[in-house]
Amino acid sequence: MGKPTGFLEFDRRGRPGQPPAERIRHWDEFHLMLPEEERRRQAARCMECGVPFCQSGVELGGMFAGCPLHNLVPEWNDLVYTGNLDQALARLTKTNSFPEFTGRVCPALCEASCTCGLNGDPVTVRDNELAIIEAGFASGAMRPRPPKVRTGKGVAVVGSGPAGLAAAQQLNRRGHRVTVFERDDRPGGLLMYGIPNMKLEKHVVQRRVELMAAEGVEFRTGCDVGRDLPARALLAEYDAVILCCGAKKPRPLAPAEGVQGAYFAVDFLTSATKALLDGGTPISAAGRDVVIVGGGDTGNDCVGTAVRQGCRSVVQLEMMPKLPDARADGNPWPQWPRVCKTDYGQEEAAALFGADPRRYQTTVKECRTDESGALCSVVVVGLEPRKENGRRIMAEVSGSEEELPCQLLLTAAGFLGPEDYAADAFGVGRDGRSNVSAAPGGHATGVEKVFTAGDMRRGQSLVVWAIAEGRAPRRQELCLRARRNIKAPWFRRDPKGRKEEIYVFYHRLLRPRGRF
């Protein structure tokens, strides 16, 4: 470790942000970078623990703790402290394909498991990560590195979200010909249109896409596989197809169906970003009373977007009870802290309207319209936890109805898995949650040459998990199994001593000595 007493000498200092009243006037990112000397102090707080939970990525208490990418956090923190940013960049990009994304939008599972956080403030791991990658781009160290040898095999990646981009990057670097198909007009998927610009500026996504294109990845936009392009065409042209279409089927809100003025959150956020990039008229909250159903990250993004568009008021409804402000006894470190957090959008609404926009244990019961059929108000109802047939449910509280003015209702209640047509086009199976089913512990579907990764396989999740899915070595190995002449079996013993066959894949031109 660079400074054994760093965590005792230096206090945590995150990236400073503009005040809410100032940042709601624009759509740019509002967190600033720390000076290099202060960043080195923050990296010096890393203790290089004997057991670095920050990079563990293990399930504890029903939730994951630590980084799913198993980032080498203590190593590059030490390199930042000693000023070796080029080496820190090399260690960071060894495990993380896109630190510029996770450094901005990841909830920092690593920091929640940091040993410094047990009795104090955790290390600023996410901010350090972002500083490393941005320094790499600024210095020119992040330059195209196309593979020197091509294998002659082709892989089609359907979907250009974080999972699809990660899969494309890794397979291209192994020498395969990779084509990414995206139905929207720009690559990036969730990164481009699902996350507002003030959280992730779109030139950051475009910068990475251009770098990948310079390395040999081909991007085809405006191509909707399963509709514009039949599945059989991809299976005939490519040695493997990877479905990374995300989990984009929104969960409907029954009272809002067919109501003029009610939209899904993803459509609202997409229209706002498209208007910012290309002009035009978005679904606008300007001058309207806005009600958002859903208390998660997407709901918070809707709050921040509505505030910037000039809404008259905003209310965010959450069905579940408010989480405690501090850890409960049954939620010890290093588990993910189940505590109430106030995000940027809620901070901005509170600063603008004088109160936190969130209302807990509440949902919409009825939508009311005016003579023209446009939404004018909603009736909300309180909820309380009850047990029904052995299950805990949130039931309506009789007599708790209340009418709220509302001309724009946004549903941000999660997703129900991937859209049907893409999965149906390839004939892949579905699991009980409607996600595309894959082999246990792997990514192969029941259809030859077809694989899946990201939210399409695991359900709605985090960007960091999507990147981890796209990078999964097991998936890359399975993709190459389509060409049987390049697999070499070997054996190992599993933890219980049982013999387990493992396939290691290689190409004689790319790896003359065999395994990679």
Side-chain angles (χ1 to χ4, degrees):
M1 58 193 299
K3 192 171 183 58
T5 58
F7 70 101
L8 297 173
E9 296 180 31
F10 307 122
D11 294 330
R12 176 186 169 100
R13 183 182 174 193
R15 289 195 298 148
Q18 294 176 322
E22 180 179 340
R23 69 195 192 215
I24 62 175
R25 300 194 185 107
H26 61 78
W27 294 88
D28 300 330
E29 291 181 19
F30 51 84
H31 284 107
L32 310 175
M33 290 291 186
L34 291 174
E36 182 179 351
E37 188 60 33
E38 181 58 37
R39 177 58 57 212
R40 292 176 64 177
R41 291 193 191 99
Q42 293 304 308
R45 298 185 68 242
C46 183
M47 304 191 300
E48 195 174 8
C49 317
V51 179
F53 290 95
C54 57
Q55 64 187 50
S56 59
V58 296
E59 188 174 356
L60 297 173
M63 300 182 71
F64 275 87
C67 181
L69 291 167
H70 308 296
N71 280 329
L72 306 173
V73 176
E75 294 187 27
W76 44 257
N77 269 330
D78 176 63
L79 291 166
V80 171
Y81 169 67
T82 56
N84 295 311
L85 291 182
D86 286 343
Q87 293 180 42
L89 180 65
R91 301 307 286 167
L92 174 59
T93 54
K94 186 178 182 67
T95 56
N96 190 347
S97 295
F98 312 122
E100 69 271 30
F101 303 154
T102 54
R104 288 176 165 90
V105 304
C106 183
L109 305 179
C110 49
E111 294 185 19
S113 299
C114 174
T115 306
C116 277
L118 178 58
N119 294 303
D121 294 324
V123 175
T124 56
V125 180
R126 182 178 60 183
D127 289 355
N128 295 354
E129 172 184 330
L130 183 59
I132 293 169
I133 189 67
E134 289 301 328
F137 275 110
S139 68
M142 290 298 297
R143 58 183 181 273
R145 292 181 174 86
K148 296 180 180 179
V149 179
R150 289 291 180 179
T151 65
K153 293 182 292 297
V155 181
V157 179
V158 184
S160 65
L165 291 179
Q169 181 200 67
Q170 296 298 297
L171 291 166
N172 177 69
R173 289 180 176 178
R174 300 214 180 211
H176 309 307
R177 174 176 60 89
V178 180
T179 305
V180 179
F181 295 87
E182 172 56 55
R183 68 180 180 181
D184 284 325
D185 58 342
R186 292 179 175 87
L190 164 77
L191 301 166
M192 179 60 69
Y193 289 125
I195 299 175
N197 198 73
M198 54 276 194
K199 278 179 71 173
L200 176 62
E201 291 191 9
K202 303 314 162 187
H203 72 83
V204 175
V205 182
Q206 186 61 32
R207 178 180 65 182
R208 175 59 72 169
V209 169
E210 291 172 357
L211 181 62
M212 291 177 61
E215 293 179 336
V217 177
E218 180 185 359
F219 290 92
R220 296 188 189 176
T221 57
C223 185
D224 197 351
V225 174
R227 287 178 175 161
D228 302 336
L229 183 63
R232 62 178 180 273
L234 264 64
L235 292 171
E237 181 179 352
Y238 295 92
D239 296 284
V241 177
I242 309 175
L243 301 179
C244 302
C245 305
K248 295 184 177 179
K249 185 192 294 184
R251 186 186 303 275
L253 180 68
E257 292 186 11
V259 175
Q260 181 184 341
Y263 300 91
F264 287 117
V266 65
D267 296 330
F268 173 66
L269 295 175
T270 297
S271 74
T273 299
K274 283 183 178 288
L276 186 65
L277 295 176
D278 301 325
T281 303
I283 300 170
S284 180
R288 295 180 173 180
D289 300 296
V290 181
V291 174
I292 301 163
V293 181
D297 290 340
T298 303
N300 172 72
D301 290 338
C302 289
V303 173
T305 301
V307 166
R308 281 165 177 75
Q309 289 182 339
C311 65
R312 183 162 52 200
S313 68
V314 60
V315 175
Q316 185 181 10
L317 306 181
E318 169 59 70
M319 289 183 61
M320 303 306 292
K322 180 179 179 293
L323 291 172
D325 294 322
R327 280 183 185 269
D329 293 338
N331 178 215
W333 176 93
Q335 291 181 3
W336 174 257
R338 298 183 184 90
V339 297
C340 182
K341 298 176 182 178
T342 300
D343 213 331
Y344 76 97
Q346 291 134 8
E347 289 178 350
E348 293 163 358
L352 185 62
F353 299 114
D356 192 316
R358 291 171 289 187
R359 295 181 60 166
Y360 298 93
Q361 296 183 230
T362 308
T363 192
V364 172
K365 182 176 182 178
E366 179 187 350
C367 293
R368 294 180 177 173
T369 58
D370 58 20
E371 297 80 3
S372 65
L375 180 67
C376 61
S377 66
V378 295
V379 177
V380 299
V381 62
L383 304 172
E384 63 180 3
R386 294 178 189 168
K387 278 196 174 181
E388 186 175 287
N389 298 325
R391 294 175 59 248
R392 184 175 181 269
I393 64 169
M394 297 300 293
E396 291 187 9
V397 178
S398 178
S400 63
E401 291 83 357
E402 178 185 355
E403 186 173 1
L404 299 178
C406 175
Q407 299 83 48
L408 180 62
L409 176 63
L410 303 174
T411 302
F415 297 86
L416 296 174
E419 294 170 287
D420 294 329
Y421 75 92
D424 293 345
F426 288 90
V428 295
R430 311 288 279 273
D431 62 20
R433 298 184 300 159
S434 81
N435 301 318
V436 173
S437 57
H443 298 258
T445 68
V447 178
E448 186 179 2
K449 301 201 307 183
V450 179
F451 308 87
T452 185
D455 288 2
M456 195 170 191
R457 186 188 79 94
R458 65 178 288 118
Q460 181 188 4
S461 191
L462 305 173
V463 168
V464 68
W465 267 112
I467 296 173
E469 288 262 314
R471 289 180 58 94
R474 180 62 175 157
R475 198 218 71 254
Q476 293 161 23
E477 294 169 6
L478 286 169
C479 288
L480 296 179
R481 287 182 70 175
R483 297 295 292 269
R484 296 179 181 276
N485 62 325
I486 60 167
K487 74 176 184 180
W490 59 288
F491 300 91
R492 72 178 181 192
R493 298 283 179 179
D494 70 8
K496 295 184 178 180
R498 295 173 298 194
K499 196 174 185 181
E500 181 181 10
E501 187 174 3
I502 304 297
Y503 288 98
V504 178
F505 299 88
Y506 62 93
H507 190 278
R508 293 185 184 279
L509 293 176
L510 185 61
R511 294 285 187 268
R513 296 182 181 178
R515 302 168 183 161
F516 57 75

